[in-house]
Amino acid sequence: DVKVTQSSRYLVKRTGEKVFLECVQDMDHENMFWYRQDPGLGLRLIYFSYDVKMKEKGDIPEGYSVSREKKERFSLILESASTNQTSMYLCASSRPPGQNQPQHFGDGTRLSIL
Amino acid sequence: AQSVTQPDIHITVSEGASLELRCNYSYGATPYLFWYVQSPGQGLQLLLKYFSGDTLVQGIKGFEAEFKRSQSSFNLRKPSVHWSDAAEYFCAVGFYNQGGKLIFGQGTELSVKP
């Protein structure tokens, strides 16, 4: 089974802090994704990466950055956390689209910014 | 812009009753489609997927979905709901020219009455 592991289930940080959310997958997937989930809005894509050191903006990249130094690890960075970034963050990984495989999700990190 | 609509935010059904959750997408290209389920505090679990071929697909836990290209729909069905099916359900659509990104619906929360 594919395993996508997010480093923290719950995280509490203060406004203005630099926050790192880590995600590791064990299936050698090329693609990795960061979403945020808010009630009534579904999942919205923040950033994704289709290869090491490659990244592309999703629908809501403002206030976030990412890092992918190794294939199995994809980090989401909140440069200066703000209260409107309090949310559930989900990481996912997948093969490239032509291989007809779904995205696999981690359990999520519930982040609170005080 | 591409979008996925789940018209029902919340549905309540009696245990043993049938279920249909609706999903519609906008865009003209050939899609691939998924249904995911999320229990409280958990990540997303894949229920079923459609890439090509038979438009009626079977998934886990007795769920099925039918892709209707003419209606741009991918509705999820189950003939007899169990109390353990109470969760939030997300429809997701991808397109082969979009690099593996998925567009998610807003989600439908399912409650099951005894």
Side-chain angles (χ1 to χ4, degrees):
Chain A
D1 269 0
V2 176
K3 185 73 173 173
V4 179
T5 303
Q6 295 184 229
S7 53
S8 305
R9 292 297 302 275
Y10 301 93
L11 206 53
V12 180
K13 297 292 182 179
R14 296 205 174 275
T15 303
E17 280 192 70
K18 190 169 186 176
V19 181
F20 294 85
L21 302 184
E22 306 288 344
C23 175
V24 176
Q25 50 95 2
D26 66 356
M27 282 301 292
D28 202 36
H29 282 169
E30 290 81 0
N31 292 358
M32 295 189 75
F33 307 83
W34 275 107
Y35 297 89
R36 67 176 280 175
Q37 180 182 10
D38 300 289
L41 298 178
L43 277 71
R44 293 179 293 166
L45 182 65
I46 305 172
Y47 268 97
F48 70 104
S49 168
Y50 50 87
D51 202 351
V52 175
K53 297 192 186 295
M54 306 297 284
K55 61 184 179 184
E56 292 215 9
K57 293 179 180 179
D59 300 317
I60 51 164
E62 296 78 17
Y64 303 95
S65 62
V66 290
S67 172
R68 193 166 181 200
E69 297 296 318
K70 294 185 177 182
K71 192 175 185 179
E72 67 270 19
R73 185 180 297 271
F74 192 35
S75 303
L76 179 69
I77 304 157
L78 285 66
E79 297 290 345
S80 178
S82 64
T83 54
N84 63 12
Q85 292 178 309
T86 291
S87 187
M88 172 75 120
Y89 290 87
L90 291 164
C91 175
S93 72
S94 75
R95 294 281 184 210
Q99 296 190 26
N100 290 353
Q101 294 294 317
Q103 289 186 15
H104 298 269
F105 285 82
D107 285 337
T109 296
R110 187 164 295 283
L111 175 64
S112 296
I113 307 296
L114 305 179
Chain B
Q2 301 148 356
S3 65
V4 177
T5 301
Q6 293 179 242
D8 304 304
I9 296 172
H10 191 189
I11 283 182
T12 300
V13 300
S14 297
E15 191 167 17
S18 64
L19 172 71
E20 183 170 31
L21 301 183
R22 296 180 290 165
C23 173
N24 292 90
Y25 66 92
S26 67
Y27 197 56
T30 300
Y32 50 93
L33 306 115
F34 306 95
W35 275 98
Y36 287 89
V37 60
Q38 184 181 36
S39 298
Q42 301 296 315
L44 273 66
Q45 180 185 19
L46 180 70
L47 276 179
L48 45 75
K49 58 191 176 185
Y50 172 81
F51 289 96
S52 64
D54 192 345
T55 55
L56 182 64
V57 294
Q58 304 296 320
I60 62 171
K61 306 184 181 187
F63 285 92
E64 67 177 26
E66 185 171 13
F67 172 50
K68 293 186 177 180
R69 187 185 304 276
S70 61
Q71 298 177 20
S72 298
S73 69
F74 189 56
N75 293 348
L76 181 71
R77 300 194 292 253
K78 187 170 184 178
S80 177
V81 168
H82 188 262
W83 63 267
S84 61
D85 293 325
E88 189 154 23
Y89 292 79
F90 291 95
C91 177
V93 180
F95 300 95
Y96 288 100
N97 62 349
Q98 296 291 304
K101 293 191 295 182
L102 294 181
I103 305 164
F104 283 82
Q106 304 93 320
T108 297
E109 185 176 356
L110 174 65
S111 298
V112 180
K113 291 190 300 187

